[in-house]
Amino acid sequence: EAKPLYERAIVIWEDIHGPDHPKVSTGRKYLAKLLKADGKDDEAKRQYDIAIATQEKILDPNSPNYASDLLDLAGLLKDQGYYDKAKPHYECALKLSEEKFGPDHPKVAKALNDLASLLDLQGNYDQAKQLHERALRIRQENLGLDHPDVAESLNNLAQ
């Protein structure tokens, strides 16, 4: 079973890095997903909430990974159904990615894709479609027509 393995990994990472580390947060996120899939919603929510609090603590606007960290936090919030809290983080990550890498970079496509997926969940289908189409174009131009990220964009656009 995966649960004790996740729990052991979290303990090791906490011992090495302390409780407020991205690896610990990621471990808790995966444990939460497993618990949710097993129907243990209360335990899953607890793990998600700890992961969210950790991500909020460790966000550093000066970090070169800030946009990626924002996407991680937004993803945790989205997974818990906190769509309105997730959206500004997705939007900020997109803006930062565009500023840092330019409007046609694969990292921008990732941020577009993540924001579009949230908009889909919120019922903003037209806006989501526009972002999915832009992400697809960026990925096709930068990665080629047969790249797995292109397939992800095609799949998301089809939904």
Side-chain angles (χ1 to χ4, degrees):
E1 179 164 322
K3 184 181 179 211
L5 301 175
Y6 282 131
E7 291 170 336
R8 180 69 182 129
I10 291 166
V11 167
I12 291 169
W13 285 324
E14 282 181 332
D15 287 347
I16 295 169
H17 303 291
D20 297 332
H21 191 274
K23 286 189 183 278
V24 176
S25 177
T26 299
R28 289 190 182 284
K29 174 181 78 172
Y30 288 125
L31 176 57
K33 285 184 178 192
L34 174 70
L35 292 167
K36 189 165 182 68
D38 286 347
K40 298 175 181 172
D41 291 346
D42 290 342
E43 287 181 67
K45 182 177 179 354
R46 185 176 158 281
Q47 292 300 322
Y48 272 125
D49 287 346
I50 294 169
I52 289 167
T54 300
Q55 283 296 111
E56 288 173 338
K57 265 191 230 175
I58 63 176
L59 277 179
D60 176 5
N62 299 314
S63 166
N65 300 319
Y66 185 56
S68 176
D69 293 342
L70 281 173
L71 289 176
D72 288 345
L73 173 57
L76 287 169
L77 291 165
K78 182 185 83 170
D79 288 348
Q80 273 301 100
Y82 302 130
Y83 300 155
D84 290 338
K85 290 181 182 180
K87 188 175 180 186
H89 295 303
Y90 281 128
E91 291 169 337
C92 185
L94 174 59
K95 181 177 182 256
L96 291 171
S97 296
E98 288 174 326
E99 290 171 358
K100 184 173 183 178
F101 301 109
D104 296 319
H105 192 278
K107 290 191 182 221
V108 171
K110 166 77 171 124
L112 286 165
N113 182 70
D114 290 356
L115 177 56
S117 295
L118 175 71
L119 293 170
D120 274 332
L121 290 171
Q122 292 180 309
N124 297 325
Y125 303 117
D126 291 339
Q127 190 179 2
K129 182 181 178 193
Q130 291 173 359
L131 298 182
H132 280 307
E133 287 172 343
R134 182 174 165 212
L136 174 61
R137 180 188 54 76
I138 291 169
R139 286 174 165 173
Q140 286 175 327
E141 289 174 2
N142 285 277
L143 305 172
L145 299 178
D146 295 325
H147 192 277
D149 289 352
V150 171
E152 177 186 33
S153 285
L154 289 167
N155 183 69
N156 291 338
L157 194 54
Q159 295 175 351

